[in-house]
Amino acid sequence: MMEEIEDMLGRPLKVSEKQKIITWLNKYKTKPYMMTQAFSYSVNNKKIKRFNYIESVVSAWYDAGVVDLDTMVEYLEKRNDRFSAYSRISKALGFNRTLTEAEMRTIDRWIDEWDFSMEMILKCLDNSTKINNPNLNYFDKILSDWYKNGFKTIEDLKNDKKPEKTKKETSKSKNKFHNFIQSEDISGDDLEKIAREKFKKKLNKLGLAIPEENNGNE
């Protein structure tokens, strides 16, 4: 682990730095290969080598329940998508500042609890240019009303009525089963290979280290 980290940093680790890493392993109950991934993510993805930043990454993963590569990829992909959403919404509102924690929690509710698409959120924000000092509370009220009325698409707004279940929605489970049946034409080894290659691409995109075969979680 230490040698891999030194390769990423491009220099030998100081004794004090090694002690910090060992402390983090115990404090955050992190496995060595996960610590290596934290350095890989910080150095390769964020281009940051500061130890206080890397500890913040390890701490955030610990708080989020990230314990292996699968949960790490899931966490980072969701985080990246969410910050992209924050950026688009902030731009639509004409904010020339960073969103506050409260504002980000409000947006999280729109996406996670109320299940609004970005299209619907941006539609709601269309009127922001007509309002002096637009704030999220104003649009939160509008989206709350849409949520209570069952409006999920632009078409629902045009019709001003609650959407009915479509044939596509009712056949969703059937389509999933059909897709599963089709996948049986591919051998188990081929499916595993496809999944492994797809996972490697995700790791590479996120700036994470690709583990050796049969040694990913050791």
Side-chain angles (χ1 to χ4, degrees):
M1 176 190 70
M2 295 296 184
E3 290 181 359
E4 289 181 84
I5 292 174
E6 287 178 333
D7 287 340
M8 292 179 209
L9 296 176
R11 63 172 177 79
L13 286 166
K14 300 175 183 177
V15 174
S16 60
E17 291 173 334
K18 290 182 179 181
Q19 290 174 339
K20 280 185 179 180
I21 293 172
I22 293 172
T23 299
W24 297 347
L25 287 170
N26 296 321
K27 181 179 179 180
Y28 301 111
K29 300 178 176 61
T30 303
K31 295 179 180 179
Y33 85 93
M34 289 292 287
M35 184 63 66
T36 302
Q37 293 293 355
F39 273 85
S40 179
Y41 173 75
S42 301
V43 175
N44 297 325
N45 189 308
K46 296 300 182 179
K47 311 301 180 186
I48 298 175
K49 297 182 179 181
R50 297 193 308 274
F51 267 57
N52 59 344
Y53 175 81
I54 296 169
E55 182 181 9
S56 72
V57 170
V58 177
S59 175
W61 290 1
Y62 174 74
D63 292 339
V66 174
V67 295
D68 54 27
L69 281 177
D70 289 325
T71 53
M72 184 192 305
V73 169
E74 181 181 359
Y75 168 78
L76 291 176
E77 286 186 328
K78 182 177 180 180
R79 182 179 174 85
N80 289 346
D81 289 343
R82 188 53 49 89
F83 274 93
S84 175
Y86 294 155
S87 178
R88 292 184 67 182
I89 291 170
S90 181
K91 183 177 180 181
L93 288 168
F95 287 173
N96 293 314
R97 59 173 176 78
T98 303
L99 292 172
T100 66
E101 287 289 334
E103 288 171 335
M104 286 190 281
R105 285 196 296 271
T106 296
I107 294 171
D108 289 342
R109 181 171 64 249
W110 297 349
I111 298 172
D112 296 328
E113 294 182 28
W114 296 348
D115 198 28
F116 280 117
S117 65
M118 183 56 61
E119 180 186 27
M120 284 291 281
I121 293 173
L122 293 179
K123 177 65 177 178
C124 176
L125 302 182
D126 274 349
N127 293 323
S128 63
T129 55
K130 304 174 185 177
I131 303 171
N132 291 326
N133 300 318
N135 63 78
L136 258 65
N137 290 332
Y138 174 83
F139 298 105
D140 186 55
K141 178 64 171 62
I142 295 175
L143 287 170
S144 176
D145 290 340
W146 289 2
Y147 173 71
K148 291 174 183 176
N149 285 300
F151 298 147
K152 290 295 181 182
T153 67
I154 303 298
E155 195 63 30
D156 294 336
L157 296 175
K158 292 178 181 178
N159 296 333
D160 194 23
K161 66 179 182 179
K162 293 183 181 180
E164 297 179 358
K165 281 191 175 182
T166 64
K167 185 176 180 181
K168 182 178 180 180
E169 289 175 325
T170 56
S171 63
K172 188 179 292 184
S173 60
K174 181 179 178 181
N175 289 337
K176 286 183 178 179
F177 179 74
H178 178 66
N179 291 337
F180 173 76
I181 295 298
Q182 286 183 321
S183 70
E184 289 187 344
D185 295 334
I186 305 175
S187 70
D189 289 341
D190 287 339
L191 283 173
E192 184 179 350
K193 184 178 180 181
I194 291 171
R196 187 165 57 247
E197 290 302 317
K198 186 176 181 181
F199 191 65
K200 284 182 179 179
K201 287 180 180 179
K202 286 186 177 183
L203 293 178
N204 187 56
K205 183 178 180 181
L206 293 169
L208 300 174
I210 298 175
E212 296 293 331
E213 293 292 332
N214 302 321
N215 193 35
N217 293 335
E218 293 179 4

